[in-house]
Amino acid sequence: MSSYRYGRPALKSTVDVQLQTAFSDGNWSSVVRLATKRAATLKDPYYEAIKMCAQSQLDGTLEKCAMLVAIDDLVKAKKTPDIDTIELYEWACRDFFDYEVEYADTLGPLRARWAKANPGSPLALQCLQSCLENWDLVSAQQISTSLDKAYANTSDRRYMFWNIILTFLLSISPQCTDASRKVYSLLAVRQLERAADLTENSAKLEATDRGLLTEEEICLYYRVLHSHGTKEEFISRLKSPKLGAIGQLKDGRKVLFCEGLDALEKWGEWDLIYNLCREALTLGLEGTTAPFFVCDLQIWRKFASAASKTADSDSALAEVQATLKKYVDIKDQASAMYKKNISLALLETTFRLPATALNPNHDNAGLSPRVVQIGLFLDQYFERLSAFDDVKSYVAELGFDELKKLMEDVLPKILDEDADKARKIVLKALECKLRYLLTTCPQSLSPQPVVDGETKDKLFQCRICANATSLLCESCLKKLLVDASETYKQINGDKELLAAIPRLDKDPRLDLALVMGTSLLKLSKLQPRTSDATQSLWQDVEAGPFLQAVLLLDTQLRETPGDTELRLLLVQLYLLLGCVSYAYQLWTPLDVKRTIQDSLSPLFFDRISTLSPGLIQGPRPLMGPLRNFYEHSLRDKSPVRIWDAFSAGSYTSILDMTEFDGNLRRSCTMMMTLVEERRATRCYGGKIDCEIEEYILTENINDDTNLVGKTDYGPFPNLESVHGPSIHEYLRLGPGLSNERSHLGFLSEQYLDLLSYKPPKDYKPANASAVALRDREYTLETLTRLSSSMTTFLHAPTTPSLLTPAEHTYYTTLSLLSAALLIALSTPRSDPSPKTLSMVTKSIKTALTTLRTTALPHHHPRPGPKPSSSSPAWTSYTGTETHALACLHATATAIKHSAAFVLTFHDRELARDRSGRSGLHRDVLAEMKALGEVAGKSAAEVKGWIQKLKEGLAEGGWLDRVLDLVFGDQNDDQDGEDGVARAVEEVVAGERARRSGRGGWWRVGGRA
Amino acid sequence: MANFRRFRPDDLNKLSKCNLDPFTETYELGFYLQYYAKWPSLFQVAEDQHGNIIGYIMGKLESSPDVYRFSEHYLPWHAHITAVTVAPEARRLGIGKLLTEQLEVAADANDAWFVDLFVRVTNYKAITFYKNMGYSVFRVVKDYYGEHSTDPSLSSEDAYDMRKPMKRDVKKEHVRDDGEKHEVDPSDVW
Ligand SMILES: CC(C)(COP(=O)(O)OP(=O)(O)OC[C@H]1O[C@@H](n2cnc3c(N)ncnc32)[C@H](O)[C@@H]1OP(=O)(O)O)[C@@H](O)C(=O)NCCC(=O)NCCS
């Protein structure tokens, strides 16, 4: 625990005033003097403790250690000091617990011993709290055992359950020895089993009985059983009358029911899921529980899907429908939310029924029951903001003929001819979204026989427009775009409609703009940027439609600045374009701060050091709040607020908070924060304050730690069907955060730390050669470890798909470099020239060349946006190129530093040992020198290129050229014929004219 | 579209739909976890089919500290709504109301006298929302909020302390009709 929590302890009241005063004034030298005197005269060891404690407050490592030695003696001698001495020691040690001193080896055992000797004292409880707040589970468990014994028959039930939950926590903690793990597991389960039996078998329990009484106690039992017991035990108890899921529901407790179903689902226990859902829903109908108590969508889903998996699925599904029918009958009593859940449940069950149970043509309009059901749902809900999301997955499941019916027969009939104009527009916007969805559904394509001579990229026929197409029907998208823009213009041209917008759930223009924007992105041939993506954005992507999309969405954001989805989409697009400062301007209003940073910051900050190191380097470091969040939340070893949960008897909270804390300590976002900050600092030649392994945050992270990515993509708009990637995958610079990438980042930083390590200047060891030998051994050990770890992560089968190509080269190079250094430093001078080294350096050079070729523009013809011939190369420079360029720079610098490391090492050895025997192999030196030179040249090249880029941007006017690119050669462009570009331009121009201003596109110029 | 269930800490990674809305404040981790630790059953969420949190309520049960027992501002055992929010896309479906009702059930089960909350006097939407559920203004806390939500030229904003009596308050002793006329300082409320 950090020092801020520890107030200075009060001395025993028997201590004289003079000493008390000196102590409370923090006058430590006086305290030492006085306490020494008192200890001599009174022969009370307490004064020795005061003395030591005061000494430790004076500067001087020796005094601090004296106190640790004293504590260690007490622990080893199995002595139990009095509580005041313990408090003194704990206070004096407070700063050590952040570093090497383990509470569990020092004060924990002393506290446990004291509590065991004085279990009835209120201070024993404080001992438990201290151990918990220092997350010393071994001592805490011991104390809880003493407390449980002392308070066995009180009505304060917490003592019993503290003991059980701590025994359980210990059994799943790394703090437990493997030998005792089993014992603790059994102990926890058996105690709870006994308690559960007592509850089941007694008519009524008193608070003093050792059975299970509260919802928290019961849920704790099931959690422990799930972890340490058998499936059979779990299931049999879940069916039991009192402690079973249904029994608990009758008492108004829903947690167990939900958690139980989750466990059963994992085990595939469909029969039981089916039965439990049916019983639970019946309780609501009978009035045993509130009518809609379990009417959650997930219960209906589980009910329907379990029914379809039972042996007699026909009758089970009939039962689901019958139950649902009863709910439909009482729907009017329900709140809007439950009404909607019931409507969705109707959809769900219709879609889960086997085809045989559905008469495909029983509607006279020739509509399938599935289409009818979607139609009924939309009848009620088409105006709601969430309507599209609600039906999306069902629509994507329809066959093509059904889709056609839905779009042609059902949707147009939702509203009458004379319906309200605004409602019609909302419906139109929904229709556009659905049409877009269809373009992402494979059912709308049919394979087309390839005729000789025909272009091979159009392997399909679109069943909607009958054109030959690739996986994505461009002509449908173009038509959709033009239609959407017509609607958009219609709204803008109609005062009545504009006036109606504030009354609607959502501005329909926003939906239309999103449809147009994503259609344009698809037309630009943008693909998810996975490992095989090329490093140049414009190599795959057509600049025209891509920039049109950005311009259009940007214009829309000005109209609806409060829309988070649109804003995030644009942030990503601008990052992809490399317009980082503008992306940051758009990001800031989202106000991602405090707790939500872990899940949302990667959306802006991942890979930011490769896009704009300057942005996060400046006087107010942008990543400061993120780092603070982790430092603040993970400052203590225990989960935040854990004692609150103990003292409130919230046992499931204790378990979940512990798990959450464990995940946060292994957060990929946290690792991203540290690595990005360091990279940016390095780019600017800044000083990195400490080695990455020295951060408290990385304390317990090693190769075996599974780093967890929790990035939240929920706030993105998503018009895509489940058959393809989500939109955010198209927009990212590369694959999202992952365990493998985070580890590689961590390891590469460790490698760079090793290279930049310099012994303190004033350190002049007496035996220089012994120290040099030890240093060399340490370096070799570290290199061996890093090389092996990096290789392992790089060679994991999924790793290449988790990195951008440039990152892959960077990490490969670093892993090769660590191997090269290992050979260089360990080859004896007398050996023949090491062949392996030249092989490794050759691979390094090849890697560097590959990266240079792709990242530096004059190495390959750059496709660029159309009029590239007339504009300078930098106009085609986007985020993807900047990223590759930064990786090239980092790679070249790492090579340069590695070579320098070897040469410096050699020089140092020569200076120390004039005999030259400890120096390095001649060939090694030559090899490394050559490597360093090659890398140095590349680094200089990158620098030169960046300089040019800067000058180019400073020239100004590049935005005009970008706009030219967007709408420029419309006339001779084929896009012009189908009117897409004109459609977009009209919307943008119209919107801008309406808002009369040049808008913010012009501000985009602030490229980093 | 929605499931109602108790909050779990992992939900903090799924708050974007609610918390990116400017009307919803994001707190430090310890703040959420304190509620989850002490009053887990009063921290309820609504989630959509993708696991996004589309609404939540965070509340507590308490009385004023004992030292204030004889103060005129002493609050007896009651439930307090610390935060309630619904994602824009899920508003007007009754989610906010259901979450609040759940908390009221818990308040009754714990024998609370009333449920109370603070709301900006300019948050008309929320005030209407509470009034429609039977809450009324009990007092006005002057300058309760450090900044003004709509007028940047003002450095503070008043709060309404709104209340709804629970079953225990049979005689409706803890509510009043003219609450708007009772002004107190922030230091008078805990
Ligand atoms: C206030 C808030 C929680 C309401 O949530 P909600 O789920 O939309 O509310 P409900 O659908 O349960 O509404 C219940 C009733 O409250 C009233 N109400 C809710 N929102 C209203 C609004 N915008 N205008 C007028 N009345 C409203 C209505 O009477 C409504 O019943 P009805 O829809 O049958 O007419 C939500 O608007 C919100 O999250 N606002 C931002 C955060 C906030 O201000 N929180 C309160 C801080 S103290």
Side-chain angles (χ1 to χ4, degrees):
Chain A
M1 189 159 34
S2 302
S3 40
Y4 82 103
R5 283 236 192 122
Y6 284 98
R8 196 174 292 170
L11 295 183
K12 278 189 198 176
S13 56
T14 49
V15 173
D16 60 284
V17 179
Q18 200 184 2
L19 182 49
Q20 292 272 13
T21 316
F23 190 86
S24 60
D25 290 351
N27 192 349
W28 302 121
S29 5
S30 310
V31 175
V32 172
R33 189 170 41 80
L34 292 169
T36 314
K37 267 202 216 150
R38 306 288 185 275
T41 45
L42 298 169
K43 301 272 180 294
D44 183 346
Y46 182 58
Y47 290 96
E48 284 291 344
I50 298 181
K51 183 181 109 189
M52 237 178 294
C53 169
Q55 278 174 334
S56 74
Q57 302 307 299
L58 297 163
D59 293 332
T61 330
L62 210 62
E63 285 77 10
K64 289 208 163 77
C65 289
M67 182 184 56
L68 291 177
V69 171
I71 295 173
D72 198 43
D73 286 345
L74 284 171
V75 173
K76 287 213 180 90
K78 304 239 179 289
K79 285 209 186 107
T80 312
D82 63 25
I83 193 75
D84 299 286
T85 306
I86 295 181
E87 302 255 290
L88 268 181
Y89 281 152
E90 185 159 330
W91 176 73
C93 276
R94 65 201 181 276
D95 290 333
F96 283 108
F97 300 131
D98 283 342
Y99 300 96
E100 283 81 26
V101 178
E102 289 295 335
Y103 195 86
D105 298 333
T106 51
L107 283 137
L110 296 184
R111 292 244 182 223
R113 252 177 245 158
W114 192 88
K116 190 173 179 189
N118 308 278
S121 158
L123 294 175
L125 200 66
Q126 225 169 329
C127 287
L128 178 67
Q129 182 176 354
S130 293
C131 290
L132 275 174
E133 285 177 342
N134 286 285
W135 213 230
D136 171 6
L137 293 177
V138 176
S139 307
Q141 194 272 346
Q142 287 172 11
I143 298 175
S144 70
T145 309
S146 310
L147 289 174
D148 186 23
K149 270 196 204 125
Y151 295 95
N153 294 311
T154 58
S155 58
D156 190 344
R157 312 171 53 74
R158 294 177 306 169
Y159 296 105
M160 167 180 171
F161 288 94
W162 282 345
N163 185 221
I164 294 175
I165 198 168
L166 278 164
T167 308
F168 175 70
L169 282 175
L170 189 55
S171 77
I172 54 169
S173 152
Q175 294 179 33
C176 188
T177 60
D178 286 335
S180 24
R181 200 174 296 282
K182 189 119 204 247
V183 180
Y184 286 121
S185 308
L186 272 177
L187 204 62
V189 181
R190 291 298 155 243
Q191 287 197 74
L192 284 167
E193 282 287 349
R194 219 178 302 133
D197 288 341
L198 188 64
T199 305
E200 281 296 356
N201 302 328
S202 353
K204 189 175 182 320
L205 278 188
E206 297 303 324
T208 46
D209 290 330
R210 294 176 68 85
L212 304 176
L213 211 56
T214 67
E215 186 171 26
E216 283 296 310
E217 294 166 4
I218 294 167
C219 288
L220 170 66
Y221 163 58
Y222 278 96
R223 295 278 191 104
V224 173
L225 199 56
H226 190 248
S227 164
H228 291 339
T230 65
K231 180 173 116 183
E232 288 69 30
E233 286 172 306
F234 187 97
I235 289 180
S236 110
R237 195 65 88 176
L238 201 63
K239 294 197 279 194
S240 67
K242 266 194 208 158
L243 293 175
I246 299 297
Q248 291 295 303
L249 271 183
K250 287 181 187 161
D251 289 344
R253 296 169 176 175
K254 191 171 149 186
V255 179
L256 174 64
F257 177 70
C258 296
E259 292 193 358
L261 288 186
D262 288 341
L264 294 175
E265 194 172 13
K266 286 204 185 88
W267 290 323
E269 291 288 331
W270 303 112
D271 286 348
L272 186 51
I273 296 179
Y274 169 74
N275 286 329
L276 288 177
C277 289
R278 194 194 39 180
E279 282 183 62
L281 288 161
T282 312
L283 290 180
L285 290 168
E286 288 168 349
T288 314
T289 62
F292 301 97
F293 192 43
V294 294
C295 249
D296 298 314
L297 185 57
Q298 62 159 333
I299 303 297
W300 286 109
R301 282 198 166 163
K302 283 185 175 142
F303 191 24
S305 90
S308 68
K309 290 179 176 114
T310 52
D312 184 3
S313 60
D314 283 358
S315 63
L317 282 163
E319 176 76 33
V320 174
Q321 283 187 304
T323 312
L324 191 48
K325 170 83 179 44
K326 290 183 194 148
Y327 272 98
V328 173
D329 292 343
I330 58 164
K331 201 165 135 178
D332 288 344
Q333 311 164 18
S335 74
M337 185 67 246
Y338 286 124
K339 278 193 192 126
K340 192 166 160 204
N341 274 355
I342 291 168
S343 300
L344 281 167
L346 276 168
L347 260 176
E348 178 72 19
T349 43
T350 313
F351 275 78
R352 292 312 136 236
L353 288 175
T356 48
L358 295 167
N359 175 2
N361 281 323
H362 76 169
D363 181 88
N364 29 5
L367 301 177
S368 81
R370 304 203 294 183
V371 175
V372 172
Q373 215 42 260
I374 293 180
L376 287 174
F377 183 86
L378 289 179
D379 262 347
Q380 291 177 65
Y381 293 108
F382 80 91
E383 283 167 283
R384 306 308 308 237
L385 206 66
S386 53
F388 175 76
D389 207 37
D390 285 333
V391 297
K392 188 175 106 173
S393 65
Y394 300 109
V395 172
E397 269 187 62
L398 293 176
F400 181 73
D401 294 332
E402 290 178 303
L403 286 174
K404 218 168 139 68
K405 291 272 183 206
L406 176 70
M407 299 305 289
E408 288 171 6
D409 295 349
V410 178
L411 274 190
K413 291 196 192 127
I414 287 183
L415 287 178
D416 297 334
E417 267 305 304
D418 51 0
D420 173 52
K421 253 197 214 170
R423 298 184 73 207
K424 276 186 175 163
I425 288 290
V426 173
L427 184 61
K428 179 77 190 163
L430 177 67
E431 185 207 310
C432 287
K433 283 163 86 171
L434 288 169
R435 275 170 65 188
Y436 179 86
L437 178 71
L438 297 199
T439 67
T440 70
C441 289
Q443 339 33 335
S444 56
L445 300 175
S446 58
Q448 151 155 297
V450 184
V451 185
D452 269 352
E454 245 184 75
T455 39
K456 294 259 175 10
D457 60 339
K458 298 202 166 166
L459 291 172
F460 302 95
Q461 184 183 29
C462 174
R463 299 177 71 183
I464 301 168
C465 67
N467 288 319
T469 172
S470 61
L471 265 174
L472 195 76
C473 179
E474 292 196 5
S475 66
C476 279
L477 281 176
K478 286 178 180 169
K479 181 153 189 318
L480 172 58
L481 250 159
V482 175
D483 290 353
S485 94
E486 281 306 318
T487 312
Y488 198 110
K489 279 184 291 181
Q490 184 194 339
I491 300 174
N492 272 356
D494 186 330
K495 287 216 175 78
E496 202 184 318
L497 278 176
L498 287 172
I501 287 177
R503 281 185 278 115
L504 302 175
D505 249 19
K506 188 182 190 183
D507 186 338
R509 288 174 299 174
L510 183 54
D511 275 342
L512 294 167
L514 281 175
V515 167
M516 290 195 278
T518 29
S519 300
L520 284 164
L521 291 177
K522 288 292 185 66
L523 286 172
S524 79
K525 304 204 168 52
L526 183 70
Q527 290 296 325
R529 305 201 65 76
T530 46
S531 49
D532 49 358
T534 45
Q535 285 172 352
S536 156
L537 184 65
W538 302 134
Q539 201 159 322
D540 307 309
V541 175
E542 277 180 36
F546 184 91
L547 294 173
Q548 284 168 9
V550 178
L551 184 50
L552 182 109
L553 293 169
D554 191 273
T555 308
Q556 181 58 43
L557 187 67
R558 263 148 251 289
E559 183 64 37
T560 45
D563 190 77
T564 307
E565 295 188 341
L566 177 61
R567 188 172 282 276
L568 263 177
L569 197 70
L570 272 165
V571 167
Q572 304 291 293
L573 285 169
Y574 281 116
L575 286 176
L576 202 53
L577 278 173
C579 305
V580 184
S581 357
Y582 187 63
Y584 185 66
Q585 279 179 36
L586 295 186
W587 169 259
T588 320
L590 290 172
D591 203 18
V592 171
K593 63 180 179 196
R594 302 185 184 139
T595 304
I596 55 175
Q597 294 182 102
D598 190 47
S599 59
L600 293 172
S601 292
L603 300 181
F604 184 82
F605 288 107
D606 190 18
R607 299 191 169 96
I608 195 78
S609 70
T610 65
L611 290 182
S612 173
L615 191 69
I616 54 174
Q617 245 284 307
R620 248 187 68 239
L622 294 189
M623 291 180 97
L626 193 48
R627 169 113 81 102
N628 285 346
F629 167 71
Y630 293 110
E631 284 173 350
H632 184 73
S633 308
L634 302 175
R635 181 181 45 196
D636 296 351
K637 288 217 162 73
S638 60
V640 173
R641 293 284 177 178
I642 198 74
W643 177 249
D644 283 347
F646 269 89
S647 87
S650 309
Y651 308 114
T652 53
S653 302
I654 294 173
L655 298 181
D656 289 342
M657 287 160 78
T658 306
E659 190 185 329
F660 179 81
D661 176 76
N663 283 339
L664 197 61
R665 285 176 204 276
R666 296 183 286 123
S667 157
C668 285
T669 311
M670 175 192 69
M671 191 55 87
M672 173 203 83
T673 308
L674 300 180
V675 171
E676 291 295 324
E677 256 185 352
R678 294 166 62 92
R679 285 183 178 160
T681 309
R682 197 172 295 116
C683 259
Y684 272 75
K687 201 172 141 27
I688 289 175
D689 49 358
C690 78
E691 297 190 357
I692 193 159
E693 278 184 295
E694 280 173 17
Y695 292 120
I696 301 249
L697 294 176
T698 60
E699 199 177 28
N700 292 314
I701 294 179
N702 55 46
D703 289 359
D704 297 329
T705 313
N706 183 29
L707 297 172
V708 284
K710 296 269 183 192
T711 310
D712 180 5
Y713 297 106
F716 281 97
N718 202 355
L719 302 172
E720 316 294 313
S721 77
V722 285
H723 305 291
S726 308
I727 195 73
H728 66 261
E729 292 177 59
Y730 287 85
L731 304 173
R732 284 188 307 218
L733 213 51
L737 292 176
S738 61
N739 173 49
E740 287 78 358
R741 176 150 69 96
S742 306
H743 271 293
L744 284 167
F746 185 39
L747 290 165
S748 62
E749 288 303 308
Q750 291 176 45
Y751 175 74
L752 297 174
D753 278 337
L754 182 75
L755 294 188
S756 56
Y757 174 77
K758 289 199 181 63
K761 277 214 179 64
D762 49 358
Y763 178 58
K764 294 270 181 304
N767 186 347
S769 51
V771 171
L773 207 64
R774 263 210 318 275
D775 273 356
R776 185 175 189 151
E777 264 168 34
Y778 170 77
T779 308
L780 289 176
E781 266 168 35
T782 311
L783 285 170
T784 312
R785 176 176 66 82
L786 291 176
S787 164
S788 136
S789 302
M790 284 199 254
T791 315
T792 312
F793 281 111
L794 271 170
H795 289 180
T798 50
T799 303
S801 66
L802 301 170
L803 304 171
T804 64
E807 281 165 349
H808 193 262
T809 313
Y810 172 68
Y811 291 125
T812 307
T813 309
L814 258 62
S815 128
L816 289 168
L817 282 171
S818 59
L821 256 59
L822 197 55
I823 302 169
L825 264 54
S826 59
T827 309
R829 282 171 70 87
S830 49
D831 278 15
S833 166
K835 283 263 168 350
T836 41
L837 182 64
S838 55
M839 276 161 60
V840 175
T841 50
K842 200 164 158 229
S843 307
I844 295 174
K845 283 181 211 153
T846 313
L848 187 65
T849 312
T850 320
L851 202 48
R852 268 180 73 204
T853 323
T854 44
L856 283 173
H858 45 274
H859 283 274
H860 66 119
R862 184 160 285 272
K866 282 272 162 55
S868 62
S869 48
S870 62
S871 54
W874 47 260
T875 47
S876 63
Y877 226 74
T878 68
T880 60
E881 281 94 347
T882 315
H883 169 75
L885 196 66
C887 289
L888 170 62
H889 187 253
T891 307
T893 316
I895 300 176
K896 216 171 75 177
H897 289 165
S898 303
F901 180 83
V902 171
L903 301 177
T904 316
F905 181 91
H906 174 73
D907 292 344
R908 214 175 37 234
E909 286 301 298
L910 280 193
R912 186 179 60 79
D913 173 10
R914 292 282 154 84
S915 77
R917 259 172 314 191
S918 59
L920 301 182
H921 199 292
R922 219 181 47 207
D923 297 346
V924 163
L925 292 172
E927 190 77 50
M928 291 309 288
K929 202 162 163 220
L931 191 63
E933 279 162 8
V934 172
K937 254 168 72 190
S938 287
E941 230 176 348
V942 176
K943 261 200 173 149
W945 175 243
I946 289 175
Q947 190 53 37
K948 257 197 241 157
L949 256 177
K950 277 193 185 149
E951 286 161 12
L953 290 174
E955 260 173 37
W958 73 274
L959 271 170
D960 294 334
R961 258 164 301 198
V962 172
L963 286 177
D964 274 352
L965 292 180
V966 181
F967 300 114
D969 342 336
Q970 245 184 80
N971 296 332
D972 42 78
D973 191 358
Q974 62 200 32
D975 280 0
E977 280 161 37
D978 43 45
V980 166
R982 201 172 316 115
V984 177
E985 193 181 12
E986 278 168 10
V987 166
V988 172
E991 191 60 27
R992 272 161 207 264
R994 231 173 48 74
R995 299 177 65 76
S996 70
R998 296 225 304 167
W1001 175 264
W1002 314 100
R1003 280 186 290 139
V1004 180
R1007 297 223 303 192
Chain B
M1 180 238 202
N3 304 310
F4 285 95
R5 59 167 173 78
R6 204 186 257 195
F7 165 87
R8 301 190 282 257
D10 222 23
D11 294 336
L12 296 174
N13 295 318
K14 291 275 174 194
L15 287 187
S16 54
K17 295 228 169 204
C18 291
N19 285 40
L20 291 181
D21 183 66
F23 285 102
T24 301
E25 178 64 322
T26 299
Y27 301 104
E28 295 291 352
L29 181 61
F31 192 74
Y32 297 106
L33 292 183
Q34 179 191 13
Y35 280 83
Y36 179 58
K38 293 188 183 165
W39 305 279
S41 63
L42 303 187
F43 198 162
Q44 298 278 341
V45 304
E47 78 180 338
D48 72 7
Q49 61 265 51
H50 312 294
N52 299 307
I53 302 303
I54 48 170
Y56 57 85
I57 191 165
M58 206 159 78
K60 59 182 171 181
L61 274 161
E62 63 180 16
S63 37
S64 299
D66 251 1
V67 284
Y68 300 109
R69 181 164 289 276
F70 300 104
S71 147
E72 57 169 323
H73 302 301
Y74 177 81
L75 304 181
W77 187 243
H78 68 286
H80 176 77
I81 298 177
T82 303
V84 56
T85 177
V86 173
E89 69 192 45
R91 290 198 184 141
R92 296 309 287 268
L93 282 169
I95 295 182
K97 189 169 173 197
L98 285 166
L99 289 168
T100 313
E101 284 168 357
Q102 281 173 8
L103 190 120
E104 290 165 7
V105 169
D108 271 330
N110 282 283
D111 211 18
W113 287 99
F114 54 84
V115 177
D116 70 356
L117 58 101
F118 297 113
V119 59
R120 286 179 189 271
V121 293
T122 54
N123 192 348
Y124 309 110
K125 218 165 50 170
I127 294 168
T128 317
F129 165 76
Y130 289 122
K131 283 198 170 155
N132 285 353
M133 281 189 299
Y135 289 75
S136 58
V137 175
F138 183 74
R139 51 188 178 169
V140 183
V141 190
K142 298 304 286 175
D143 306 320
Y144 180 75
Y145 295 100
E147 80 287 359
H148 198 277
S149 56
T150 48
D151 186 347
S153 69
L154 298 174
S155 64
S156 68
E157 191 171 352
D158 298 348
Y160 281 141
D161 179 355
M162 296 183 80
R163 272 187 193 184
K164 177 174 177 174
M166 292 289 105
K167 286 184 186 147
R168 183 172 180 180
D169 188 8
V170 184
K171 293 197 222 141
K172 308 280 176 278
E173 288 167 59
H174 294 281
V175 283
R176 53 192 169 206
D177 293 334
D178 59 348
E180 275 95 345
K181 292 192 195 122
H182 291 79
E183 291 187 353
V184 295
D185 286 332
S187 57
D188 296 327
V189 298
W190 303 280

